[in-house]
Amino acid sequence: MPGSDEELGQTGEMPDGSAPGPEGSSGGFWARAQAVIAAVGGAVGAVAGVVGLVFLLVPGLQPEAAKGIELVDSDVDREENIRADFTTPDSPPGRINMRASMLSVTLRNTSDDPVLVTDAVFHFSSAEELKCTSGAGGTELRAQYNIKVPNQGGTSFSVKRKMKYTVPPHRQERVAFSLGPEVEWSGNLPYIYTFDVALHADDDVRIDVPEATMIVTPDLLESYLENARRAATEGLSIPEPGCIRKEAEAVRKVVAEAKRPSPELREFSAELTRIAQRI
């Protein structure tokens, strides 16, 4: 009978003339498997070729490489005491110590190379001095904050701070900035700053830090509040009670509208509101 075990053993061939496969398998199966593998390999190669051609013809479709540095977090909160240098016309240079909020920025470098942060641009949408003067005046102080803000009212100006801050490969680093007036007088009134920050790195990456609102400086805040308390309890005309009430409402509105108010600003507003209610 054609195809019997006896006939196969004598000829060593399959009935269709092909050689037998390994024991327990047929030549037809292996032939089909090899054909499938060859077909899959050809299809993969064709797809890769088409994708490469598309990226070549349309460069905008290519995936962007990792930019290396990114913003992880930022906050406006109290830090360790700020030690600021100052000079006066009639005394040698000294130091002032105060506990105040700082703008803190945490950066992450996900690349294999270090990234250099070259500058920080602070854009101030508002820099307003409080209004209710107590009539005090005094010696000039020049405070050396990280960011020295010009003593100018109005809106929309920028302050650029050069930096040479390197974020190592695959590391997370934190940098903080203290803000204050470029020139202080002992009779200065507190300033309220609303600003955002753009950090620039040497790989042409720009990192935008969200808007924050701060009031500076702590020593000025306490003097201002003490004068307001005396006006409320002793009936003084300077500062004017009506001015204090208007100021309390204005500061309360700033806090309500601020995206990220500093702790000092919230506390100052709450205390000034309590004082105004007693006048």
Side-chain angles (χ1 to χ4, degrees):
M1 179 177 180
S4 65
D5 292 342
E6 183 179 6
E7 182 178 350
L8 178 60
Q10 292 175 353
T11 64
E13 295 180 351
M14 295 296 289
D16 59 1
S18 62
E23 183 178 356
S25 64
S26 66
F29 170 80
W30 284 100
R32 289 193 300 273
Q34 291 172 358
V36 170
I37 292 173
V40 171
V44 171
V47 170
V50 171
V51 171
L53 182 60
V54 170
F55 286 158
L56 180 63
L57 296 177
V58 190
L61 294 180
Q62 296 188 43
E64 293 185 3
K67 293 184 177 179
I69 193 169
E70 60 188 11
L71 177 67
V72 177
D73 186 35
S74 77
D75 61 49
V76 184
D77 210 342
R78 287 193 178 93
E79 302 288 337
E80 296 298 325
N81 289 344
I82 297 174
R83 292 169 52 82
D85 296 318
F86 72 92
T87 61
T88 67
D90 53 0
S91 65
R95 303 280 284 181
I96 52 176
N97 297 297
M98 63 187 75
R99 184 170 175 80
S101 288
M102 300 175 71
L103 173 68
S104 170
V105 180
T106 303
L107 304 171
R108 179 187 295 131
N109 181 5
T110 59
S111 71
D112 297 329
D113 301 310
V115 175
L116 177 66
V117 180
T118 57
D119 61 69
V121 179
F122 284 70
H123 176 70
F124 291 84
S125 58
S126 177
E128 296 291 341
E129 189 177 20
L130 299 190
K131 309 298 183 184
C132 302
T133 180
S134 62
T139 327
E140 182 182 29
L141 303 176
R142 295 188 180 276
Q144 302 298 314
Y145 300 96
N146 288 142
I147 308 301
K148 303 171 184 62
V149 186
N151 292 50
Q152 62 184 64
T155 60
S156 192
F157 65 95
S158 297
V159 176
K160 184 175 182 179
R161 166 70 190 271
K162 287 289 187 181
M163 300 176 64
K164 290 184 178 179
Y165 189 85
T166 300
V167 183
H170 303 289
R171 286 280 299 275
Q172 186 166 293
E173 297 283 329
R174 183 170 176 265
V175 60
F177 301 92
S178 62
L179 282 76
E182 185 176 35
V183 177
E184 283 187 353
W185 300 82
S186 57
N188 260 129
L189 297 175
Y191 273 87
I192 297 178
Y193 300 138
T194 298
F195 61 94
D196 55 43
V197 186
L199 300 177
H200 298 273
D202 61 354
D203 55 359
D204 295 326
V205 174
R206 168 176 166 151
I207 298 173
D208 292 310
V209 181
E211 183 181 271
T213 302
M214 298 174 61
I215 188 169
V216 296
T217 58
D219 54 338
L220 298 180
L221 302 186
E222 187 51 44
S223 296
Y224 186 95
L225 291 174
E226 183 57 32
N227 289 329
R229 292 187 192 101
R230 291 184 59 192
T233 58
E234 300 176 18
L236 302 180
S237 58
I238 299 179
E240 296 178 359
C243 182
I244 294 174
R245 286 192 292 268
K246 290 179 180 178
E247 196 86 275
E249 177 59 23
V251 175
R252 186 200 63 76
K253 185 177 180 181
V254 168
V255 173
E257 295 177 352
K259 297 177 182 177
R260 294 196 299 168
S262 67
E264 288 90 355
L265 178 56
R266 293 194 301 267
E267 293 167 5
F268 177 83
S269 176
E271 179 61 18
L272 189 60
T273 297
R274 283 192 288 268
I275 293 173
Q277 290 171 347
R278 299 201 300 267
I279 295 178

